[in-house]
Amino acid sequence: MKIAGDDVPLIGITDLSVGFTTRAGVVAPVLRNIGLVVRRGETVGLVGESGSGKSTLALVAMGYLKAGLRVLGGGVRFAGQDMLAGDGVAAIRGGRLALIPQNAGQALTPTIRIGAQIAEALRLHSTLPRADHAARVVELLARVRLPTPGALVTRYPHELSGGQQQRVAIAMALAGEPEALLLDEPTTGLDVTTQAHVLELLRDLAASSGMAMVYVSHDLGAVARVCARVAVMYAGEIVAEGSARQILRTPSHPYARGLIAAIPVLGEARLPVPLDGRPPAPGAVGEGCSFAPRCGLAEAGCLTARGALVPAPGGGVVRCRRADAAVRLPMRRDGALRLALEFDGGGGVLGLDAIAVSYARRSLWDQITRAPRDAAPVVDGITLTLRPGETIGLVGESGSGKSTILKSIAGLIGPLRGSIDLAGVALAPRVAQRDVGVLRRVQLIFQNPDESLNPRQTIAEILAQPLGLYFGLSGAALRARSIELLAQVRLGGHYLDRLPAQLSGGEKQRVAVARAFAADPDVVLCDEVTSALDVSVQAAVLGLLDDLRRERRTACIFVSHDLGVVRALADRVVVLYQGRICESGPADAVYGLPSHPYTEALLGAVLEPDPDHAPRLLAADIVEHGPPARGCAFQNRCHRRLGGICATDAPPAHEIGDGHVIRCHIPPATLAAAQAAP
Amino acid sequence: MGVLRRMLARPSGAIGFAFVLLHLAAAVLSPWLVPYEATAIDAALMFAPPDAAHWLGTDQLGRDILTRTMLGGREALLVTLIATPLAVGWGALVGIHLGLAGGRLDDVLMRVVDAVLALPWILKMLVIIVTFGAGVTVLVPTLAFFYGVPVIRVARAATLGVVARDFISAARARGHRPGAIVRRELLPNVLDALMVEGAMRWSWMLLAFSSLSFLGFGVAPPTPDWGLMIADSRSFMAIAPWAAMAPVLALSTLIIGINFVADALAKAVGLDRALNAPH
Ligand SMILES: Nc1ncnc2c1ncn2[C@@H]1O[C@H](COP(=O)(O)OP(=O)(O)OP(=O)(O)O)[C@@H](O)[C@H]1O
Ligand code: SF4
Ligand code: SF4
Ligand SMILES: [Mg+2]
């Protein structure tokens, strides 16, 4: 056998199958005949929906198997070393080959200083003499572009932002000078602006260090930015592989095309195209093509024989016998253009007037001394009017107060100041003070259906709650109405007797949508309702919400950190930073120029599934522990900051016309000129 | 009952459950099964070692140890089987209430709970027994009271965990009455924790009851009882070790069985927290 040289791939996975044995004694493969080669310095992306086996594959490359899994065949080698045989593997792991698992940043030990955690990684994986470790820690922190690395070593993880924590995790992985880095969803859960920063860092690391990277993600935009080569996984197998350009621009597999079509487009108000159905469970794959049940091009031959990877018409290789037809399938920008709603010019269905919300508890002392109430509440000055049938998109990063606003409308948190009215009638601040008839008209849909559906109730019981409470339905009438509601969210009546755990993520969220619409509400408040879902499922849920509100003229406040998703659904957009409105107006105006500097930063950071698209990093990646007491909320991160005035005076509201408002000390005309220049 | 089936699917759960069932069956059926009269004294048979007539030998009064061991758990089981549901019931009621109400009442009462829990159990029990006297009528409420206190903590923690979840917010936002939310949304989700807690409390109570009997504050002689039997045989360990062996084994298999069940239950419902809360 040859010693690791240029012709021995760094990571060589050959015909690898991994699986488990079910209770019934059937062998269920999770990975099937995977062949993947990663050469030195190469960046390879693994993409696919949840459950497609991408994380399992990344772990196997390290020689790890999740509990219960075993290798059914094939092998994994790192620089010639068999990673599935015990000897010598431990020396490679963490050193020459490092893994950054999902949420690695959040997984830092909270009670140990940053410097000590990195030093520990050095002790384990570095050959440097002990005396040099302290200097090396600072060097590593600088390498992942953390500001003031010298001062950072004494900080604790919670003092860092999510993006900074993720960088520390990367610095730890770099401690052993790895030849290859495996990253599992390294930016999932980070804000768009932060994600863009981390991706640029990874991209530069790969380019400058000659380190190979395997990047696992469901996010095609992130993969497009970092990876030169992409493998698309479906039901445990690689269905397409090629250069990023080949896979993203001219994909030859119907699944790859479907995935790309399901991503909302920032440029236009279009609904993304959903990919119906769901991936097969392990072991449930038939003889033929695993994608056949969801494939529009499937023909008889697809069902009988599983194809091999063959050269694709669009470049690369593909596992589809009809690839020639697949390359002609419609892709992005072919979703339906969303029709603008017509408003009758009547009053609003929901109005918020100068709402402020604070979580600060007033101590007894504060109450006695009559200390002023919270000077900088988490949410302040929120004024907006929602018209019947209209959708307002509420955009902002994590912690910007989006959920807080929805909760105060729903009466779950009493506002500190301000008032809310429902069709002109003032709403009591808290749920307990509101009539059931009033409560019926405003319904909430939550981010994560695993949290918002009671795991101990069947779908029938879940739907019975609003139907019983608001309409007094029971017995046969209740059942009939429940089946009707399920049909509206495209689920069959047989789901009624299931528990949430027996549904997929997308199906659960549809049940949550059905439960909200069961109340026949005037307003639905949607809190990140698609962020826990795969893009293909997200597209379906977005389409569903759009249909429902169109049919019933239900108004909607749609909260999301994803500008593409908001673009697909919203008539008007409100951009929020630290609980303050930065910009608001018709969607077309907010997504066009001029923009508030924060909106500009958000839009610049959006990733497109296109290898030629480069995000612009504008806002500084720092932690904010709360809104500043005075001045502009965005002052600490603003790239256009004017100076003293931004720190002292609240920015004025400039109305540009048609309800488009920007709150910034820079006049709109100046902003427009600066932003139009390249 | 998916939880029960999952609990029994674990070896520890199945073994523990078998132990407990066996003990319950013995307790119920022993009056018809025992070979001798439990209190029949036979001076000629003092400290007879195990033989064909007396399988487990006899004690210092010549009483059959097998008979007395089979009957010796009846009082303990009866008392704890009444006291355990009472303890879990009142503890859960208070704990859930505090978890929901929060605020000053919660702050104050939890301090009281901590204080009560900080006292050694034997001290608490003895104060009551010295004041009100021994006997089953005092022991049931006393055990139920003191063993309900740690349940408050568990029920409160479980409630806080569930209340923070979105399905509770969803129910609140819909405008259901608090009672309906507790019954339909909260209770089904804290029941698991309470079930595990109940099993744990039961085993602690059995130990406590036997310890009290051992100290002479529980069952009055000559009624057969494990704690009493262990106490009686203590002085004769050197000459008749079998007399202590049988009740010790009986008590420990029951306690171990319950602990296995509690452990398997906790795993089955995904509550693998450390199961060594103070009693
Ligand atoms: N119950 C609470 N007690 C104290 N502070 C809270 C509470 N809930 C939220 N906050 C704080 O209020 C601010 C706004 O939080 P909110 O959850 O409304 O943000 P968000 O925009 O919905 O964020 P995300 O995108 O992460 O859901 C944050 O600083 C958060 O830490
Ligand atoms: S092989 Fe057939 S079923 Fe599979 S992706 Fe190609 S056309 Fe569709
Ligand atoms: S007011 Fe100042 S800090 Fe705020 S967005 Fe405008 S320029 Fe930036
Ligand atoms: Mg939120």
Side-chain angles (χ1 to χ4, degrees):
Chain A
M1 198 188 84
K2 269 185 276 183
I3 308 300
D6 279 348
D7 45 350
V8 175
L10 193 55
I11 299 175
I13 297 175
T14 39
D15 201 29
L16 179 73
S17 296
V18 165
F20 59 92
T21 309
T22 62
R23 286 217 179 136
V26 184
V27 175
V30 172
L31 294 178
R32 297 189 294 150
N33 310 97
I34 299 281
L36 187 71
V37 166
V38 181
R39 293 189 185 76
R40 286 180 190 281
E42 242 192 333
T43 46
V44 178
L46 291 178
V47 296
E49 288 174 281
S50 66
S52 60
K54 33 190 207 310
S55 295
T56 309
L57 180 53
L59 283 174
V60 179
M62 285 286 275
Y64 289 125
L65 284 172
K66 292 191 208 167
L69 294 185
R70 65 195 159 87
V71 173
L72 304 174
V76 181
R77 284 176 182 276
F78 178 82
Q81 157 80 44
D82 186 350
M83 293 300 285
L84 300 175
D87 315 336
V89 175
I92 292 175
R93 279 182 195 154
R96 297 175 65 193
L97 176 62
L99 171 76
I100 300 184
Q102 203 161 347
N103 298 328
Q106 282 138 272
L108 295 172
T109 314
T111 51
I112 302 180
R113 293 174 201 276
I114 300 295
Q117 300 202 35
I118 299 178
E120 172 69 9
L122 281 172
R123 203 180 57 70
L124 286 174
H125 302 300
S126 168
T127 51
L128 279 181
R130 265 312 249 288
D132 298 344
H133 282 189
R136 180 77 179 133
V137 166
V138 177
E139 218 174 282
L140 283 170
L141 288 173
R143 185 122 179 261
V144 293
R145 289 204 222 120
L146 280 162
T148 62
L152 257 176
V153 290
T154 56
R155 300 265 211 95
Y156 289 98
H158 73 265
E159 298 175 77
L160 273 54
S161 72
Q164 291 171 333
Q165 289 173 354
Q166 196 66 5
R167 282 163 204 243
V168 172
I170 296 171
M172 282 170 74
L174 296 180
E177 310 263 350
E179 291 157 54
L181 199 54
L182 306 171
L183 302 115
D184 192 357
E185 301 274 8
T187 61
T188 303
L190 299 180
D191 281 318
V192 270
T193 54
T194 314
Q195 157 168 299
H197 278 280
V198 173
L199 288 178
E200 288 317 284
L201 167 71
L202 289 174
R203 193 181 148 87
D204 294 351
L205 274 178
S208 66
S209 67
M211 190 171 51
M213 274 188 200
V214 176
Y215 188 102
V216 175
S217 180
H218 70 281
D219 184 345
L220 287 169
V223 166
R225 191 64 194 140
V226 178
C227 302
R229 206 146 58 79
V230 176
V232 181
M233 295 191 62
Y234 186 79
E237 56 185 359
I238 292 179
V239 295
E241 195 200 322
S243 70
R245 192 170 306 274
Q246 289 162 348
I247 296 295
L248 297 169
R249 284 279 177 78
T250 51
S252 312
H253 196 282
Y255 175 63
R257 295 189 86 85
L259 268 188
I260 295 171
I263 302 172
V265 192
L266 202 56
E268 288 167 77
R270 274 182 205 279
L271 283 168
V273 187
L275 192 58
D276 291 329
R278 63 203 255 193
V285 180
E287 302 253 293
C289 169
S290 54
F291 188 60
R294 298 171 79 184
C295 182
L297 293 178
E299 53 182 24
C302 300
L303 300 173
T304 50
R306 176 174 166 225
L309 280 170
V310 294
V317 289
V318 67
R319 199 188 290 278
C320 172
R321 46 189 285 141
R322 301 203 59 199
D324 289 317
V327 281
R328 291 193 304 272
L329 278 178
M331 219 168 49
R332 307 194 77 192
R333 302 177 203 286
D334 298 322
L337 257 192
R338 225 168 52 79
L339 302 171
L341 273 178
E342 288 175 14
F343 298 108
D344 46 18
V349 60
L350 180 78
L352 270 62
D353 187 22
I355 289 292
V357 185
S358 170
Y359 288 107
R361 284 259 191 92
R362 297 191 87 205
S363 66
L364 194 59
W365 179 248
D366 287 344
Q367 289 172 27
I368 293 168
T369 58
R370 296 179 183 248
R373 294 192 154 239
D374 193 358
V378 291
V379 161
D380 201 3
I382 306 298
T383 300
L384 51 89
T385 306
L386 185 65
R387 292 174 289 191
E390 183 184 41
T391 296
I392 290 187
L394 207 55
V395 190
E397 293 177 334
S398 172
S400 59
K402 310 180 296 284
S403 304
T404 303
I405 294 173
L406 295 194
K407 283 185 183 153
S408 69
I409 297 174
L412 293 172
I413 311 171
L416 186 66
R417 290 188 290 271
S419 61
I420 305 173
D421 72 84
L422 190 64
V425 182
L427 265 184
R430 293 194 155 271
V431 168
Q433 305 154 330
R434 296 182 186 174
D435 283 346
V436 168
V438 171
L439 289 168
R440 179 191 66 75
R441 297 168 62 191
V442 180
Q443 293 291 312
L444 253 172
I445 308 176
F446 294 83
Q447 170 166 8
N448 185 351
D450 289 320
E451 283 293 307
S452 70
L453 302 180
N454 188 336
R456 293 306 170 89
Q457 290 179 343
T458 61
I459 307 308
E461 287 167 324
I462 287 168
L463 293 177
Q465 303 303 319
L467 292 175
L469 179 69
Y470 299 134
F471 305 110
L473 292 186
S474 63
L478 171 67
R479 195 146 179 109
R481 179 78 185 117
S482 303
I483 290 173
E484 210 174 290
L485 283 164
L486 284 183
Q488 278 173 0
V489 296
R490 328 260 185 278
L491 291 175
H494 57 283
Y495 281 89
L496 278 180
D497 299 316
R498 296 208 198 163
L499 288 168
Q502 294 166 306
L503 271 58
S504 75
E507 288 168 342
K508 279 182 257 193
Q509 196 59 300
R510 287 184 217 196
V511 171
V513 170
R515 176 174 67 181
F517 278 90
D520 199 11
D522 299 340
V523 178
V524 281
L525 309 171
C526 301
D527 192 355
E528 299 272 15
V529 292
T530 62
S531 68
L533 307 175
D534 274 316
V535 272
S536 59
V537 183
Q538 160 175 294
V541 171
L542 290 178
L544 177 70
L545 279 172
D546 194 56
D547 288 350
L548 283 173
R549 64 168 196 142
R550 193 169 298 285
E551 285 160 20
R552 308 182 172 207
R553 283 186 79 76
T554 311
C556 175
I557 298 187
F558 189 88
V559 158
S560 178
H561 69 282
D562 185 329
L563 288 129
V565 168
V566 169
R567 183 70 175 130
L569 221 53
D571 303 299
R572 275 197 297 148
V573 176
V574 173
V575 182
L576 215 60
Y577 187 79
Q578 290 284 340
R580 276 73 179 155
I581 295 179
C582 301
E583 181 171 358
S584 59
D588 291 334
V590 172
Y591 280 77
L593 295 182
S595 294
H596 185 280
Y598 177 54
T599 315
E600 187 189 0
L602 280 179
L603 287 170
V606 170
L607 298 164
E608 296 276 349
D610 175 354
D612 295 327
H613 173 88
R616 292 184 308 139
L617 307 181
L618 301 173
D621 174 28
I622 55 164
V623 230
E624 297 243 46
H625 288 297
R630 291 191 304 156
C632 170
F634 190 49
Q635 55 180 284
N636 294 325
R637 293 177 63 192
C638 181
H639 57 287
R640 295 194 184 276
R641 199 186 135 122
L642 290 176
I645 188 166
C646 298
T648 51
D649 294 10
H654 294 286
E655 162 122 33
I656 302 159
D658 197 19
H660 184 196
V661 175
I662 294 179
R663 287 167 193 274
C664 177
H665 287 296
I666 306 177
T670 318
L671 275 175
Q675 287 162 349
Chain B
M1 282 303 274
V3 175
L4 269 188
R5 199 170 313 130
R6 264 180 294 150
M7 187 267 282
L8 290 176
R10 297 177 173 275
S12 65
I15 293 171
F17 198 67
F19 276 20
V20 174
L21 268 189
L22 219 72
H23 270 288
L24 288 177
V28 173
L29 301 176
S30 52
W32 294 279
L33 294 179
V34 292
Y36 296 92
E37 186 73 21
T39 50
I41 297 175
D42 188 343
L45 263 177
M46 256 170 60
F47 297 129
D51 62 13
H54 298 277
W55 293 2
L56 298 180
T58 61
D59 65 7
Q60 74 280 11
L61 297 177
R63 295 175 296 196
D64 181 50
I65 291 181
L66 176 62
T67 300
R68 292 181 64 79
T69 305
M70 284 175 74
L71 294 166
R74 285 166 60 86
E75 295 274 333
L77 278 171
L78 185 69
V79 166
T80 55
L81 279 177
I82 298 172
T84 305
L86 287 176
V88 173
W90 90 263
L93 213 71
V94 174
I96 290 174
H97 185 79
L98 290 184
L100 289 175
R104 208 132 299 170
L105 181 70
D106 180 39
D107 289 345
V108 172
L109 277 188
M110 285 319 287
R111 288 293 167 288
V112 176
V113 165
D114 289 341
V116 173
L117 287 178
L119 296 173
W121 69 272
I122 192 83
L123 194 73
K124 296 181 268 196
M125 303 292 289
L126 286 183
V127 167
I128 300 285
I129 288 165
V130 168
T131 318
F132 298 101
V136 171
T137 43
V138 175
L139 278 179
V140 167
T142 310
L143 285 170
F145 175 75
F146 284 119
Y147 286 75
V149 176
V151 177
I152 296 180
R153 236 203 208 160
V154 171
R156 176 178 172 275
T159 303
L160 287 177
V162 177
V163 162
R165 298 184 61 180
D166 283 342
F167 60 84
I168 300 282
S169 301
R172 288 212 296 135
R174 274 197 305 270
H176 293 285
R177 303 190 160 281
I181 296 180
V182 169
R183 201 158 16 86
R184 269 181 268 163
E185 312 283 341
L186 179 75
L187 274 186
N189 287 290
V190 298
L191 226 50
D192 288 343
L194 289 179
M195 226 155 63
V196 175
E197 184 61 18
M200 292 307 297
R201 286 308 133 208
W202 184 23
S203 85
W204 283 115
M205 256 189 224
L206 273 168
L207 261 180
F209 182 89
S210 300
S211 307
L212 287 172
S213 284
F214 178 89
L215 295 174
F217 298 110
V219 179
T223 314
D225 178 85
W226 296 333
L228 264 179
M229 289 168 74
I230 298 169
D232 288 347
S233 58
R234 198 173 34 146
S235 338
F236 312 108
M237 275 302 272
I239 46 172
W242 57 84
M245 205 63 107
V248 166
L249 268 182
L251 181 60
S252 36
T253 46
L254 178 54
I255 301 274
I256 289 172
I258 297 174
N259 275 290
F260 273 17
V261 167
D263 199 52
L265 256 184
K267 294 220 169 79
V269 301
L271 268 179
D272 307 79
R273 66 204 158 81
L275 285 174
N276 47 9
H279 60 295

